[in-house]
Amino acid sequence: MRALRLAAWGETPTLAEVERPVPHGAEVLVRVEATGLCHSDLHVIGAAPGNLPYRLPFTLGHEVAGRIETLGPDTDGMRVGDRVVLYGPWGCGACERCATGRDNYCDRRDTLAWHGAGLGRDGGMAEYVLVPSARHLVPIGGLPTDQAAPLSDAGLTSYHAVAGLRHALAEGATTVVIGVGGLGHLAVQILRATTAGRVLAVDVREDALALADRSGAEFGTLVRTDTAHVLRERSGGAGVDAVLDFVGTTQTLELAAGVLRPGGELAVVGSGGGHLTVSKPGVLPPGFRLSVPFWGTRPELAEVVALARSGAIHVETERFPLSAATEAIDRLRGGRVRGRAVLVPD
Ligand code: NAD
Ligand code: ZN
Ligand code: ZN
């Protein structure tokens, strides 16, 4: 089968012919129908040697949906042909966190040579993907697979980040979403669908602001020198209740700290490598609370799938055949993807 393999750090991944896996024990083989391309894939490809614990080569792709092709002899609860999305953050499988579907916060994460499917383990930018256990599969019913695949990270990570802020988002509360790409446009929709608050959006691209508008944001603005002032005015003057930062550079972290009201919440999702200095006394608003969420839990993935099936959220996708993966990667790198790029085996 064909698979998009990362063979060397910093090098463009290439399609290679690899053996189709055979499921043993509790493993499940899934025939891939769609795989989302995440900005994290770019961070992985461009990582300096030694920065990530992954062994090379491996197949990329951590947002995967498809049909069950073959079940290992020890699986139960699933049938061949079932349409599923993969829960991607595979942990050790044995700790208390993994046992309760919170592999994203696996207690042994530091000891593993992977962070999940397509992140150190062979993922879904291929014709088939081998899944270690049926517990990593969530049924999608009639949801199209190119909608379902991005839910497993862009949807799930946004949902998990919003869940951590929900206590602060009562009626009339204001949230700023920074970076309206694959994750951000779903965060705007999830905020609208699951909280009573207002959403303001920030990006560096006009077409991302148009996407924010279609996703339900009340107002969008490009990053300018007076952006913090504009957002504070929009919030009524005191500052906003929460910021979701899907970029994570020093510039966006400082913007976030500059627009929050006292007691405000900042969730940093973007892996931009920026820094924000915590000091007391200092410039951070009193009562400032910070979270650095990673991906989400398996029960939350089922909730995101249910939201999408109800029609409350919709992924804007651009489809590419798997054979055009390099073009999709170039476009994402150049900021020329609207919503989520999805690769489909051809
Ligand atoms: P994306 O490229 O689809 O979207 C990023 C958006 O941010 C784009 O619209 C871009 O124009 C905008 N942007 C870039 N610089 C900006 C700036 N300075 N100010 C405002 N907007 C800016 O990326 P994505 O796939 O949505 O991923 C977003 C980030 O989240 C990436 O860093 C990714 O690695 C990270 N991520 C984290 C997790 C997690 O679990 N914490 C999971 C998935 C992705
Ligand atoms: Zn991702
Ligand atoms: Zn674990």
Side-chain angles (χ1 to χ4, degrees):
M1 68 167 188
R2 277 172 318 145
L4 189 76
R5 308 277 285 172
L6 182 66
W9 300 111
E11 271 180 27
T12 304
T14 50
L15 277 177
E17 198 62 36
V18 297
E19 207 103 327
R20 185 202 292 188
V22 175
H24 299 285
E27 294 170 345
V28 179
L29 186 69
V30 172
R31 180 154 54 85
V32 177
E33 292 185 354
T35 302
L37 174 65
C38 178
H39 209 107
S40 298
D41 291 314
L42 304 187
H43 293 311
V44 169
I45 294 166
N51 268 13
L52 290 168
Y54 314 162
R55 289 186 205 107
L56 300 177
F58 66 91
T59 303
L60 288 163
H62 56 272
E63 283 188 348
V64 195
R67 277 175 200 274
I68 294 181
E69 176 80 7
T70 319
L71 293 165
D74 305 333
T75 52
D76 57 12
M78 289 277 172
R79 283 178 319 233
V80 169
D82 281 355
R83 308 177 74 251
V84 290
V85 63
L86 264 66
Y87 175 64
W90 302 339
C92 73
C95 73
E96 183 262 336
R97 293 284 172 84
C98 288
T100 52
R102 293 181 294 161
D103 293 57
N104 56 318
Y105 298 136
C106 168
D107 282 326
R108 301 209 178 95
R109 192 153 281 289
D110 283 353
T111 69
L112 306 176
W114 66 86
H115 292 135
L119 299 166
R121 298 276 290 269
D122 286 341
M125 291 183 184
E127 292 171 74
Y128 297 88
V129 60
L130 188 67
V131 181
S133 160
R135 75 186 180 89
H136 296 306
L137 299 174
V138 171
I140 59 170
L143 200 63
T145 35
D146 66 338
Q147 282 291 305
L151 296 180
S152 61
D153 176 24
L156 174 58
T157 301
S158 300
Y159 188 86
H160 179 64
V162 170
L165 308 178
R166 197 161 282 133
H167 62 275
L169 301 180
E171 178 123 28
T174 308
T175 304
V176 169
V177 171
I178 304 177
V180 190
L183 272 68
H185 88 291
L186 289 172
V188 173
Q189 295 180 46
I190 290 165
L191 283 162
R192 292 304 311 274
T194 66
T195 76
R198 308 154 59 208
V199 184
L200 314 179
V202 182
D203 207 290
V204 290
R205 300 187 287 153
E206 287 283 4
D207 59 342
L209 295 181
L211 177 58
D213 182 55
R214 287 198 296 285
S215 300
E218 175 187 297
F219 170 78
T221 178
L222 293 173
V223 177
R224 299 204 181 94
T225 47
D226 65 343
T227 300
H229 174 73
V230 169
L231 293 171
R232 292 184 79 91
E233 291 282 291
R234 277 269 159 183
S235 74
V240 305
D241 296 272
V243 177
L244 283 161
D245 185 351
F246 291 102
V247 181
T249 58
T250 298
Q251 179 196 32
T252 59
L253 294 172
E254 286 178 351
L255 172 63
V259 299
L260 281 172
R261 72 195 290 185
E265 296 270 348
L266 169 58
V268 181
V269 180
S271 313
H275 294 268
L276 184 67
T277 303
V278 175
S279 66
K280 193 169 181 296
V283 295
L284 295 174
F288 167 88
R289 284 155 55 115
L290 172 70
S291 57
V292 191
F294 175 65
W295 221 324
T297 70
R298 190 203 178 282
E300 286 172 329
L301 178 55
E303 291 167 29
V304 178
V305 168
L307 262 188
R309 291 181 68 184
S310 77
I313 59 173
H314 177 83
V315 190
E316 285 219 15
T317 60
E318 290 192 32
R319 289 165 68 107
F320 295 84
L322 178 60
S323 57
T326 310
E327 185 195 334
I329 289 169
D330 286 346
R331 289 188 50 163
L332 182 62
R333 194 175 277 132
R336 287 181 287 120
V337 170
R338 184 180 14 83
R340 201 50 142 188
V342 173
L343 305 178
V344 178
D346 53 328

